[in-house]
Amino acid sequence: MKNVLLLLFFLSSFSLAYAKHITGGEMIYDYLGPGSTANTKRYLVTLRLFRDENCFGCSVMPATVTMGIYNNDNNNRIGYITRSLQFSELVPINALPPCITNPPTLSYTVGYYEMEIELTNNNSGYTIAYQTCCRIDNIMNVPNSVGATYTCNIPGPNDNGSINDSSPRFSTGISVVCYNKPFTLNFSATDPDSDSLVYSLCSAKNGGDAADASFNTPGPPPYGVVTYINGFSGTRPLGILANIDPRTGIISGVAPDAGKYVVSVCISSYRNGQFISIHNKDFIISVDPCDFAGSQLEPSYISCDGFSFTFFNLNNSPLNQTFYWDFGDGLTSTAQSPLHTYTTAGIYTLKLVVNRGLPCSDSTTSPLKVFPGYFPNFSAPSPICKDKPVQFTDLTTANYGAANEWHWNFDVDGTAADTSRIKNPVYTYPVAGTYDVTLIVASDKGCRDTITKQVVIVDKPEFSVSNDTLICNIDTLKLNAVAGSAGAVTWSPNYNINSLNSFTPLVSPDVTTTYYVSFIDNSGCATSDSVKVNVVDHVTLEAGRDTTICRTDAVRLMPSSDGLQYEWTPAATLNDPLIKDPIATPISEFTTYHVTAHIGKCFADDELTIHTVPYPAANAGKDTSICIGQSVKLHATGGSIYSWSPAVFLNATNIPDPVSTTPLITIPYVVTVRDVLGCPKPVNDTIVINVIRIIANAGPRDTSVVTDQPVQLNGTGSTNYSWSPGTWLSNSSIANPVSMPENNIQYVVTVSNDIGCSDTDTIDIHYFKVKPDMFVPSAFTPNRDGNNDILKPLALGLRAVNIFRVYNRWGQLLFSTSEIGKGWNGTFKGSDQAPGTYVWYAEGIDYKYNKLERKGTAVLIR
C-alpha cells in the first residue's frame, strides 16, 4: 500500500511523442472498504482506453499512463500516479444487420490501467484525471488533433452524505453504423450499487495542455470541452436526427454522412432520489458507407386534424424491393409510400413488411391514433395594467377526448417562474410590454399542439379625451372620452355638465372651465385626463392688410383671429376656402377676399384686397454668330434694371446693351430683368453668342508624285473653298480637286463660311520626272545621330509597300515591315548588328496598281 500513497511518481524514460491513437476512454472507480488508517477509504481506479486497430499510421496502445489526483475541497493536487498497461482485449462487435452490403470490418481493443489508492475523507470528494493528445485527424465533428481528458469524480459527504459508492461502467460492445441509415448504439451501463442512472449526450473534454502521448502532468479541474464544428454539438454529436434514451442509454435515429464522430455520454447516478455523481465516456464512432434492407417506422403516429396519412419507410435502402402495408383497419397496400384515409376515429396498429417472402425480409409495427378535430385556443384580457393579475383561460376544444395537460409560458425574461401547468392560470406582469404567451396543450387522446398569442401589458389603460377647445358663452359642447377597454368614468367639477358618468357628456359653461375625468377599467387599472373649455363672448378677426403681388404668384392669407371655423369667398382662386390660412392665386388685377370666422354661434367677418401686377417681359435678343476676333453688341429689353452673367468678355454687366469684346469661345449670356414700376421679381432670358473659328486644312504635307501621277487634294474646315494657283487643277472652287502636276508646286487653299469667317493652308507637291519605283540606299549608319540611321525604301508613285525585308549573309531574317516610312535600325532582338553587307527585298503596288519587286544590298557602317 505504500506505493499508492506517494505524492508523485515520475514517468519512465520511455515515451511516445505526439501519438495519435486514442479512440475513446472511460475512468471508473470501485469502493474497496475502509483504509489502513482512520478516516480513509480505499478505491480501485481503472482507466479504460480504446484503440481502433484499423487506424493506419496510428500509435500503439500507451505502455504507461499518468493519472493526477485532486482534492475537490481546494483543488490541490494530491499527486501523480503512473501505471503500466496491465492487459488489453478485443471489443465485442454486435451482430450485423441482415443482408448488409459493403459491411465494414470493425476491430477495436480496450486497454486497462489500474491503481489502488487510499484517500482521506474530505467534504467534496476527489477528481482523478488522465489527459492526452491527440485524437485522429479528419473527425467530422471536432477539429484535427484535439486532445482528450478522461476523469472520474469520487463524491464526498457534501455531495450526497456519507455513503460508499462505486461508479457505473459502460458496456464495451460496438455496432455497425451505416451512413444515412437507421441505427442503434448501446451506451448502457451497469452500477455495482444498483443506483438509478439517467443518460444524456454531453460535450467531450479536450486535452488541456497535453502535447503528446507521454504527457505526465494532468491539470486540475475544471476541464475544457472540445469545440464542435460543421453544425454539430455535444448534445447533437451525430446530428439532429439522433437522440439518446435517458432511461436506457440507447442512441438511435438516422446516421449522418460517412466519417468519424466523437460521441460523449454522461450518466447522472441517484440513490434513493439523491444525486451522487456524473460519470462519462467518449468514443469515436465510425459511420461507414454501407447499406442494408429493413423496415422502420416512426415510434408512433397521430392525426388530430384529419383522417388521412401518407406513410413511407424511414429506411430508404435500394435493397428494399417490395412493400406490404397493413393499416390496421382491414385494408392493405403494396405501394412504396401509400396515402391512406381512415373512416373512423380510433387507435390502430400500423405494420410494414419489406421484401415479404423474399430474402432480407423485415417487418415492424407502430401504434397509430386518429382523433381529428383538435383546436387549441385560449383567452386573456389585453391590454391590462402591470401589477394586475391576468386571468388566462383555456378555450381548447376537441371532437374526441378532452384537454388534460397544459404548459403555459408567459414570456418573461430573467425568471424561471413564468410558466404554469394548470388549466386556467393567473399571472401578474411587473413590467409593461408586449409578451408572446405560448400554450402547449395535450389531450387524453394524445393530441398535442401549440398556440401563441400576444398579451399587451401597459403602465396605465389606454384612455384619451377631447383636445382643449374654445366655445361661445351661448353654446353647448359635447366632450368625448375614449377608452381602449371597458370601464367607468367620473367627471368633475359638477358645473353645467349633464352627466358625471357619461363618456360623452354635454357641457355649457359661461366661463372658462377645466373638466377633469378619471377612468377605471374592469380589471382595476386607473388613469385620468382633463380638457380645458375656453369661453368667449365674441369672435376677434382681422383679415390682414391689402397687398400687391406678381401676377400668377401664390400668397398665403393669414388673418389674426381666435375663430374655430372659417369661410372665405370667392373660393375659385383659393386652395381651401374653409381653413384659416388658405393659399390664394388671384389672376385679376384686383381681387377682394371676404372671410367669416365662427366660434359656435358667435361670428365676425372682414375682408382684404390683393392687387396683381405682371412679371417683366425679359428679352435678351436673338442668338448671334460671329467670327473669332470680332465683337458683338448685346441688347436687352423688358424692364428697368438689367444684370448680365457671366461677366467674361463684357465691357459692362448692369446696362441693357453691353459689348462682348472679341470672345474666344461660344458663350451663353443670361440677362436678369427687374421692373421698379411693376412686379419686383426678376425674370431671366438667354442669348447665345456662337463664336466660329475656321481652321483650314489643305491635306497631307510634302506629297511626292512621279510622271503622270494624279494627286487628289482634300481640303477641310468649312463650306466654301478657293485654291490658288489654279494650275493643273480640275476645279479650284471645290474642297477636293485633282491635280496633274508637271513640276514642283505649292497650292494655297482659302476656306470660308457664309458670314465671312476664313482661314488658309498650303500643301507642297514634289514632282519627280521618273516612273513609279522604290529606291533603297546602298549604305546607312545606325549610330543614333539622327542622320541616315534607318535603312528604308523611298517609295515614289506607290500606293503601298507590301514587303520590305532585311537578311544577313546567312539568310536569317532580321527585319520585316509592310508600312511605308518604316525601316531597319541595324539591331536584331535588341542587339546591334555587326558592320557588313546585308541583303534587302521589297514589294510594292504603284498608283496604277502594278506590282513592283526589287532587291539589293546595303552596307551597315558603324
Side-chain angles (χ1 to χ4, degrees):
M1 285 301 298
K2 291 183 179 179
N3 63 328
V4 301
L5 298 177
L6 292 179
L7 295 182
L8 179 63
F9 281 77
F10 293 96
L11 282 173
S12 66
S13 59
F14 169 73
S15 66
L16 295 173
Y18 197 69
K20 296 182 179 180
H21 59 277
I22 298 301
T23 299
E26 174 191 17
M27 188 180 291
I28 61 178
Y29 62 88
D30 289 282
Y31 174 67
L32 300 179
S36 59
T37 60
N39 202 33
T40 62
K41 293 180 181 180
R42 291 185 301 114
Y43 293 90
L44 176 66
V45 176
T46 303
L47 172 65
R48 301 198 292 186
L49 297 180
F50 297 88
R51 183 183 188 277
D52 185 353
E53 297 300 322
N54 293 325
C55 182
F56 178 77
C58 294
S59 300
V60 299
M61 190 74 71
T64 60
V65 299
T66 297
M67 292 173 274
I69 307 171
Y70 291 91
N71 186 334
N72 291 342
D73 284 351
N74 50 27
N75 230 29
N76 287 341
R77 185 180 71 244
I78 301 302
Y80 296 127
I81 297 180
T82 300
R83 283 292 180 264
S84 299
L85 174 65
Q86 291 182 274
F87 69 94
S88 62
E89 61 184 3
L90 288 174
V91 175
I93 307 301
N94 297 329
L96 299 179
C99 299
I100 189 171
T101 62
N102 192 31
T105 301
L106 302 182
S107 180
Y108 295 91
T109 56
V110 54
Y112 292 83
Y113 308 82
E114 296 180 347
M115 67 176 180
E116 187 175 329
I117 58 175
E118 188 170 301
L119 299 173
T120 301
N121 294 338
N122 66 356
N123 290 322
S124 302
Y126 293 86
T127 295
I128 304 173
Y130 165 69
Q131 291 184 307
T132 183
C133 103
C134 307
R135 303 174 196 261
I136 61 174
D137 288 340
N138 301 316
I139 301 177
M140 302 293 287
N141 61 351
V142 301
N144 285 342
S145 303
V146 65
T149 298
Y150 306 109
T151 67
C152 66
N153 297 293
I154 300 176
N158 279 358
D159 298 321
N160 45 42
S162 181
I163 64 172
N164 302 319
D165 182 62
S166 296
S167 68
R169 60 276 334 263
F170 286 91
S171 61
T172 58
I174 192 67
S175 300
V176 170
V177 180
C178 297
Y179 79 112
N180 298 330
K181 304 296 292 183
F183 75 96
T184 58
L185 288 172
N186 186 0
F187 270 77
S188 63
T190 58
D191 189 272
D193 306 312
S194 300
D195 292 330
S196 298
L197 305 180
V198 178
Y199 301 86
S200 64
L201 293 168
C202 56
S203 295
K205 298 181 179 69
N206 62 34
D209 294 330
D212 54 49
S214 63
F215 183 73
N216 63 356
T217 55
Y223 300 105
V225 298
V226 300
T227 300
Y228 288 83
I229 60 176
N230 299 326
F232 296 95
S233 66
T235 57
R236 295 289 187 182
L238 295 173
I240 61 175
L241 300 180
N243 293 288
I244 192 169
D245 188 323
R247 298 167 298 177
T248 65
I250 302 298
I251 301 175
S252 62
V254 178
D257 290 338
K260 304 288 186 180
Y261 296 82
V262 172
V263 175
S264 176
V265 175
C266 289
I267 299 176
S268 297
S269 58
Y270 296 84
R271 186 175 303 174
N272 300 322
Q274 185 177 13
F275 173 77
I276 299 175
S277 185
I278 293 180
H279 179 68
N280 83 289
K281 168 187 176 181
D282 82 36
F283 196 88
I284 299 177
I285 300 297
S286 178
V287 179
D288 296 290
C290 48
D291 192 17
F292 56 87
S295 59
Q296 183 179 7
L297 299 175
E298 299 285 357
S300 64
Y301 294 83
I302 188 170
S303 175
C304 297
D305 56 5
F307 288 91
S308 296
F309 291 82
T310 297
F311 299 108
F312 56 91
N313 186 6
L314 297 180
N315 184 324
N316 57 3
S317 171
L319 301 175
N320 298 328
Q321 300 297 311
T322 66
F323 304 85
Y324 178 81
W325 297 87
D326 185 338
F327 302 117
D329 60 353
L331 298 177
T332 62
S333 173
T334 58
Q336 182 173 354
S337 299
L339 170 65
H340 184 67
T341 301
Y342 291 86
T343 59
T344 306
I347 301 176
Y348 301 88
T349 298
L350 175 69
K351 182 177 183 181
L352 168 63
V353 183
V354 172
N355 301 334
R356 187 184 188 195
L358 300 174
C360 303
S361 176
D362 190 29
S363 66
T364 188
T365 61
S366 185
L368 182 147
K369 297 179 180 180
V370 183
F371 296 112
Y374 185 67
F375 308 102
N377 193 14
F378 70 87
S379 67
S382 178
I384 194 170
C385 290
K386 65 180 182 181
D387 299 324
K388 296 293 182 182
V390 182
Q391 175 66 63
F392 293 90
T393 304
D394 174 42
L395 301 178
T396 301
T397 60
N399 293 341
Y400 301 93
N404 67 348
E405 181 182 335
W406 300 267
H407 184 193
W408 298 83
N409 188 318
F410 303 119
D411 188 32
V412 178
D413 294 334
T415 178
D418 66 335
T419 61
S420 176
R421 291 188 176 273
I422 66 175
K423 181 178 181 179
N424 300 315
V426 175
Y427 188 79
T428 301
Y429 288 90
V431 179
T434 299
Y435 298 87
D436 293 322
V437 177
T438 300
L439 169 62
I440 302 174
V441 57
S443 75
D444 55 4
K445 296 298 185 182
C447 293
R448 179 181 295 270
D449 207 347
T450 302
I451 184 172
T452 299
K453 291 185 177 182
Q454 284 192 339
V455 172
V456 179
I457 305 299
V458 295
D459 290 313
K460 57 184 179 180
E462 183 180 345
F463 183 70
S464 63
V465 297
S466 308
N467 294 330
D468 293 346
T469 189
L470 184 67
I471 67 171
C472 190
N473 58 1
I474 60 174
D475 291 334
T476 297
L477 174 68
K478 178 191 286 188
L479 303 181
N480 189 30
V482 178
S485 55
V489 296
T490 301
W491 293 89
S492 65
N494 188 5
Y495 178 70
N496 291 349
I497 184 171
N498 72 329
S499 175
L500 297 179
N501 303 112
S502 171
F503 279 83
T504 57
L506 299 176
V507 296
S508 53
D510 52 8
V511 295
T512 297
T513 303
T514 298
Y515 290 93
Y516 299 90
V517 59
S518 60
F519 170 74
I520 300 178
D521 68 13
N522 292 343
S523 66
C525 298
T527 188
S528 62
D529 205 345
S530 66
V531 56
K532 183 178 182 180
V533 181
N534 294 286
V535 180
V536 297
D537 58 4
H538 67 281
V539 180
T540 62
L541 173 63
E542 183 178 343
R545 295 182 179 181
D546 296 343
T547 188
T548 299
I549 65 172
C550 296
R551 192 167 299 156
T552 71
D553 279 1
V555 62
R556 182 178 294 277
L557 307 182
M558 301 182 67
S560 176
S561 175
D562 59 358
L564 298 179
Q565 295 88 32
Y566 297 86
E567 183 178 358
W568 292 85
T569 59
T573 54
L574 297 174
N575 69 323
D576 188 344
L578 300 179
I579 62 175
K580 180 178 182 179
D581 52 354
I583 296 175
T585 312
I587 56 176
S588 300
E589 184 176 359
F590 292 95
T591 302
T592 297
Y593 291 99
H594 183 273
V595 58
T596 301
H598 295 266
I599 300 177
K601 297 174 183 177
C602 300
F603 69 92
D605 53 11
D606 197 9
E607 61 183 25
L608 79 162
T609 299
I610 296 178
H611 177 214
T612 65
V613 293
Y615 274 89
N619 186 356
K622 294 182 178 180
D623 295 345
T624 301
S625 296
I626 63 172
C627 300
I628 191 167
Q630 295 179 345
S631 300
V632 62
K633 185 176 183 179
L634 310 180
H635 182 67
T637 60
S640 305
I641 301 173
Y642 300 87
S643 177
W644 293 87
S645 66
V648 62
F649 307 121
L650 293 180
N651 66 336
T653 60
N654 57 353
I655 60 176
D657 49 1
V659 175
S660 178
T661 304
T662 60
L664 301 177
I665 57 173
T666 295
I667 185 168
Y669 287 108
V670 178
V671 64
T672 301
V673 180
R674 290 177 172 85
D675 190 352
V676 296
L677 300 178
C679 175
K681 291 186 176 180
V683 178
N684 297 334
D685 195 22
T686 301
I687 182 175
V688 177
I689 304 302
N690 185 23
V691 178
I692 299 175
R693 179 193 298 267
I694 291 181
I695 300 176
N697 188 349
R701 302 290 184 177
D702 297 333
T703 299
S704 298
V705 297
V706 297
T707 301
D708 297 329
Q709 181 183 356
V711 178
Q712 175 70 64
L713 304 180
N714 189 17
T716 59
S718 188
T719 56
N720 302 323
Y721 297 86
S722 176
W723 296 85
S724 66
T727 308
W728 304 315
L729 289 179
S730 61
N731 189 334
S732 62
S733 300
I734 62 176
N736 52 354
V738 176
S739 173
M740 294 293 292
E742 298 176 5
N743 207 337
N744 294 339
I745 190 170
Q746 181 185 76
Y747 289 108
V748 179
V749 64
T750 301
V751 181
S752 63
N753 62 11
D754 293 339
I755 65 171
C757 304
S758 64
D759 192 26
T760 61
D761 194 22
T762 62
I763 181 172
D764 293 324
I765 298 176
H766 301 282
Y767 177 79
F768 294 90
K769 196 171 184 178
V770 295
K771 295 295 183 179
D773 208 341
M774 290 181 287
F775 302 93
V776 178
S778 59
F780 74 113
T781 57
N783 55 10
R784 302 176 182 86
D785 63 353
N787 294 318
N788 200 24
D789 286 332
I790 304 296
L791 180 67
K792 62 182 178 181
L794 175 62
L796 296 179
L798 267 62
R799 290 181 178 273
V801 174
N802 294 334
I803 296 174
F804 178 65
R805 296 173 182 166
V806 180
Y807 302 85
N808 61 19
R809 59 182 176 176
W810 295 283
Q812 182 182 15
L813 179 64
L814 304 179
F815 176 77
S816 178
T817 185
S818 60
E819 296 182 48
I820 293 178
K822 293 292 181 70
W824 184 44
N825 64 357
T827 65
F828 181 65
K829 295 184 178 179
S831 298
D832 290 339
Q833 298 301 291
T837 301
Y838 292 84
V839 178
W840 59 265
Y841 172 78
E843 291 181 6
I845 302 295
D846 70 10
Y847 72 91
K848 293 182 179 180
Y849 294 97
N850 296 315
K851 181 178 179 181
L852 300 178
E853 291 185 73
R854 300 289 185 267
K855 60 183 177 179
T857 61
V859 177
L860 189 156
I861 301 172
R862 294 285 184 188

